[in-house]
Amino acid sequence: MNGSIWYKRIPTLLGLFLLIGGIFGINWAISHGVFFESKASPTYTPENIRITNLSDSSFTVSYITRAPALGTLSYGTTAAVGKVALDDRDQQSGNPQPYFVHHITLKNLSAQTRYYYSIASSDKTFLDNDQPFSITTLSPLSQNPSQQQPIIGNVSDSAGNKSNNIIVFLVSDNAQTLSVLSKTDGTFIMPLNAIRSKDLASYLTFTPQSIIKLLAVGADNQATASVFASQISPVPPILLGNAYDFTTSSRLSPSPLASSSATESFPSFAGTEAGPTKPQILNPDNKEGFHDAQPEFEGTALPSQSVEIEIHSDTPITTSVTANKNGSWSYRPTTKLSPGEHTITIKTKDSNGILQTITRSFTVFAEGSQFTEPSVSPQQITPSPTPTDTPTPTNIPSLSPTPTATLAATSTPTPTTRTPVSGILTQSVAPVTQSPGSSLVFLSGIIATIMAGTGALLILLVKGSSL
């Protein structure tokens, strides 16, 4: 009898243990992110975003991805963007291809115009804090470009292979930063006739003894080289993974490029910088209302940098202030502003010498007026439509001036401004959080399968025990 009872109970208890074990296993998997962690998505996130070759009619955006990805830029003169630019290697064929190293040049732009752009990499769109990146093209120069020779060279990856997947950057202490892609045979040509000075206000001509620094960046390695301007046609061959100084006797003996030596021999493209690097208006918030007819405006800029202020009202105000050593500035009008809507615009240079323009709108209420939220009857309330997922275009914050950003994918990214290098603004990108719906469906299917399998096992065990 006792043996018969245990014979019937043991399979049932075993089934219960299996069920409980399965539940605990699922909880452990969820708590450790087994079902929600994506290994593929981050590989398409743009890294080391840089803006180079800035002129009155063009600029270049470059970056790398950990896996080959289709990369494009959506751009325009408003935040709505609209136009699409392909990688430089695809602009002739019109057929985008996946790359590790991306180099996209916007051409035929208008001078002194702010352009907005987002980066599409694979199936995500990357933005700057949920807003498109922006940059302003330069003013034309009245002087004639120089006639100096271009930089000519040859670069190979660490295995000695030639390819068109290496970007060569030029960085000089007194010049803007340029970049160019290598060709399929590893050669590169970088024109210097239109290179500008560090402040971007004039063309620059190198002397034979001017030292030019080059940075060659591949998918997973890089090289640095220092040359005299007299050595640029051609530059001795460059192999990724090495640090060269062709201005000394080490010309024939390159040293391995370690992380520490790379930082010392070439400006770093990452890191933090004391004080703000991106001008901002902190007060007012956009469309904020003031009862004070002489509100105090506040913001940030480069330490000790001049900030031009324009307040557009019945009587326009134009003035300038200087940011303190911590990068903070403030301004309070000396006369009262008239009631109504106004805008404030600031103009100041960022850490790469690029003139940034920021505008905010605000309202000054009439003296003695009471501002209250307008009442809304229930009949006036219109329910908001339920948001639905919208497919985003292929997703894509440094050299003279090159922005580096934190991207947020749309999938939309958020760039984190990093320390600019010799005029290069680098941006870090963080992918936009995606809806976990598909992961939840997948997880629910697994749970249902486990539960169904366990239930079937229990039924079989119970039936077996009753025989």
Side-chain angles (χ1 to χ4, degrees), residues 55-57 110-112 137-143 196 200-201 203:
S55 72
D56 58 328
S57 61
S110 299
Q112 293 179 284
T137 52
L138 304 179
S139 302
L141 298 179
S142 57
Q143 65 187 110
R196 298 197 183 198
L200 307 174
Y203 292 121

Side-chain angles (χ1 to χ4, degrees), residues 283-284 287-297 332 336-340 342 362-373:
N283 184 48
K287 298 184 180 179
E288 183 176 351
F290 292 102
H291 287 288
D292 185 357
Q294 293 175 267
E296 184 168 17
F297 303 100
R332 183 182 179 89
K336 292 184 177 181
L337 301 178
S338 59
H342 306 266
F362 63 95
T363 300
V364 174
F365 300 120
E367 199 170 322
S369 65
Q370 297 295 321
F371 175 75
T372 58
E373 293 290 341

Side-chain angles (χ1 to χ4, degrees), residues 17-352:
F17 285 138
L18 290 173
L19 176 61
I20 294 172
I23 293 173
F24 275 107
I26 292 171
N27 288 334
W28 180 89
I30 293 174
S31 65
H32 287 75
V34 172
F35 298 111
F36 294 100
E37 183 179 4
S38 170
K39 298 297 184 183
S41 197
T43 60
Y44 301 121
T45 300
E47 300 179 3
N48 297 330
I49 304 170
R50 302 176 173 106
I51 293 180
T52 56
N53 305 328
L54 182 61
S55 72
D56 58 328
S57 61
S58 64
F59 66 89
T60 298
V61 177
S62 65
Y63 60 94
I64 63 172
T65 50
R66 299 294 180 89
L70 294 174
T72 61
L73 289 187
S74 294
Y75 71 100
T77 54
T78 69
V81 295
K83 298 180 180 179
V84 176
L86 303 181
D87 190 281
D88 290 358
R89 289 158 287 192
D90 302 328
Q91 290 186 8
Q92 185 171 358
S93 67
N95 183 27
Q97 299 293 322
Y99 303 105
F100 283 100
V101 177
H102 306 263
H103 195 266
I104 306 173
T105 301
L106 304 186
K107 305 174 183 177
N108 301 318
L109 307 179
S110 299
Q112 293 179 284
T113 302
R114 176 177 291 273
Y115 282 88
Y116 298 85
Y117 66 94
S118 60
I119 304 172
S121 181
S122 184
D123 59 348
K124 296 180 180 64
T125 297
F126 293 88
L127 303 173
D128 179 2
N129 292 317
D130 297 327
Q131 297 295 324
F133 299 101
S134 66
I135 188 170
T136 301
T137 52
L138 304 179
S139 302
L141 298 179
S142 57
Q143 65 187 110
N144 294 324
S146 66
Q147 299 299 316
Q148 56 195 337
Q149 295 297 313
I151 299 178
I152 300 174
N154 192 296
V155 62
S156 308
D157 64 21
S158 54
N161 300 316
K162 310 293 186 181
S163 76
N164 61 349
N165 288 302
I166 299 174
I167 301 176
V168 180
F169 297 94
L170 175 153
V171 177
S172 173
D173 292 336
N174 59 346
Q176 71 172 127
T177 301
L178 305 181
S179 67
V180 67
L181 267 171
S182 62
K183 301 181 184 298
T184 53
D185 61 356
T187 60
F188 64 90
I189 300 176
M190 183 182 294
L192 296 181
N193 59 310
I195 190 171
R196 298 197 183 198
S197 57
K198 192 71 173 181
D199 62 6
L200 307 174
S202 61
Y203 292 121
L204 176 71
T205 300
F206 292 112
T207 67
Q209 295 304 307
S210 296
I211 295 179
I212 298 173
K213 295 181 180 180
L214 300 177
L215 170 66
V217 176
D220 56 5
N221 212 334
Q222 64 181 35
T224 63
S226 295
V227 296
F228 286 124
S230 58
Q231 299 173 309
I232 62 174
S233 295
V235 173
I238 295 174
L239 185 70
L240 295 189
N242 293 313
Y244 299 86
D245 186 354
F246 297 120
T247 66
T248 69
S249 58
S250 63
R251 172 188 181 103
L252 302 179
S253 303
S255 59
L257 183 65
S259 57
S260 58
S261 63
T263 301
E264 294 169 2
S265 62
F266 197 87
S268 172
F269 290 97
T272 58
E273 183 178 47
T277 58
K278 186 176 182 180
Q280 301 179 73
I281 296 177
L282 301 179
N283 184 48
D285 290 332
N286 199 35
K287 298 184 180 179
E288 183 176 351
F290 292 102
H291 287 288
D292 185 357
Q294 293 175 267
E296 184 168 17
F297 303 100
E298 299 176 325
T300 61
L302 292 180
S304 304
Q305 180 68 46
S306 175
V307 180
E308 296 181 17
I309 299 175
E310 295 181 16
I311 298 177
H312 308 281
S313 59
D314 292 344
T315 303
I317 297 175
T318 301
T319 187
S320 65
V321 296
T322 300
N324 62 23
K325 63 180 181 180
N326 297 318
S328 298
W329 60 264
S330 64
Y331 171 72
R332 183 182 179 89
T334 56
T335 59
K336 292 184 177 181
L337 301 178
S338 59
E341 294 185 359
H342 306 266
T343 60
I344 177 174
T345 298
I346 67 166
K347 296 180 181 180
T348 186
K349 291 183 179 179
D350 62 15
S351 54
N352 295 291

